[in-house]
Amino acid sequence: MKRLNESDLDFLRELSNIGVGHAATALSQLIGRQVGMRVPKVSIVDLASVPELMGGSEKIVSGVYLQVLGDARGAILLIFPDDSSRALISLLLKRVDEPLSEMGASTLKEVGNILASAYLSVLGNMLDITLIPSIPSLAHDMVGAVVDIVLSDLGEIGDTAFVFETEFYDMTNDIKGHFFLLPGPDSIDVIMRAIGSKNG
């Protein structure tokens, strides 16, 4: 398997920033005010380390997850810490959502759908591969349980994840999330080769 160097990761981060730029425009239209987003860091981690990355396996989070279909199969997992997910829902619905309501859950899934579609569209176009998101699902639980739910629901995916740390800014609320691209066992080579050839 081709290993990505720092230059490849920088290239992937730039692609991701283009993707979140498209997502930010869509979210801005959704809520009627300007939303900025950026991806300060891209890394590749072992899936088992995801809970620790999010602050420990018992940390309560909202996780939106979708299957990735097309030339590279896999999954997308968007995780918001509980306070960030509630702040985002309050911003979008213009009311406090405590506990998480059906409308709040639907709102988070729509945000996940917007983000996933924007990411996959840009990545697919730039890498000349077709990447299509499925309908999103939502899990609100401890991060360890959310990861387990995603793995059991989506079946066999690889043990490697691309992590795009995603920040929302120019908001009164401090909202941050982590966007994980989980390639299937046969897909990580496809993605890495495409990145390497484009960045070669």
Side-chain angles (χ1 to χ4, degrees):
M1 182 177 71
K2 179 191 185 300
R3 294 188 64 83
L4 297 188
N5 57 35
E6 284 301 315
S7 176
D8 293 330
L9 290 175
D10 283 343
F11 175 72
L12 195 54
R13 182 174 58 82
E14 288 307 312
L15 287 188
S16 302
N17 275 310
I18 295 170
V20 296
H22 289 285
T25 299
L27 280 177
S28 298
Q29 293 170 345
L30 189 67
I31 67 175
R33 58 171 287 195
Q34 191 64 35
V35 176
M37 295 170 64
R38 61 180 164 234
V39 179
K41 183 180 178 184
V42 175
S43 53
I44 299 176
V45 302
D46 190 287
L47 210 50
S49 68
V50 168
E52 196 60 38
L53 190 66
M54 296 303 302
S57 62
E58 296 185 358
K59 187 180 178 79
I60 299 296
V61 298
S62 292
V64 182
Y65 57 101
L66 326 85
Q67 290 189 62
V68 178
L69 309 171
D71 293 333
R73 298 296 183 106
I76 280 175
L77 174 60
L78 176 64
I79 295 181
F80 291 107
D82 197 42
D83 54 349
S84 283
S85 67
R86 295 189 187 284
L88 184 57
I89 291 169
S90 296
L91 183 71
L92 293 170
L93 297 183
K94 298 178 174 60
R95 63 178 171 81
V96 176
D97 197 54
E98 184 77 44
L100 185 65
S101 67
E102 188 174 330
M103 180 65 76
S106 178
T107 300
L108 285 179
K109 286 194 282 188
E110 180 58 24
V111 170
N113 187 51
I114 289 170
L115 276 169
S117 297
Y119 264 100
L120 294 180
S121 175
V122 169
L123 288 174
N125 286 340
M126 293 295 288
L127 300 177
D128 295 325
I129 55 178
T130 300
L131 302 170
I132 304 164
S134 72
I135 296 171
S137 299
L138 176 74
H140 182 73
D141 206 330
M142 293 185 294
V143 64
V146 169
V147 172
D148 288 343
I149 289 167
V150 172
L151 294 179
S152 63
D153 273 12
L154 298 178
E156 185 186 4
I157 57 176
D159 57 4
T160 302
F162 292 96
V163 186
F164 307 91
E165 292 184 16
T166 305
E167 294 180 350
F168 300 73
Y169 60 93
D170 294 338
M171 289 180 167
T172 54
N173 312 78
D174 182 28
I175 301 173
K176 293 187 178 181
H178 282 75
F179 186 98
F180 298 88
L181 176 61
L182 316 173
D186 298 328
S187 297
I188 192 161
D189 280 334
V190 173
I191 294 172
M192 286 183 162
R193 278 199 303 271
I195 293 168
S197 66
K198 288 291 179 180
N199 198 33

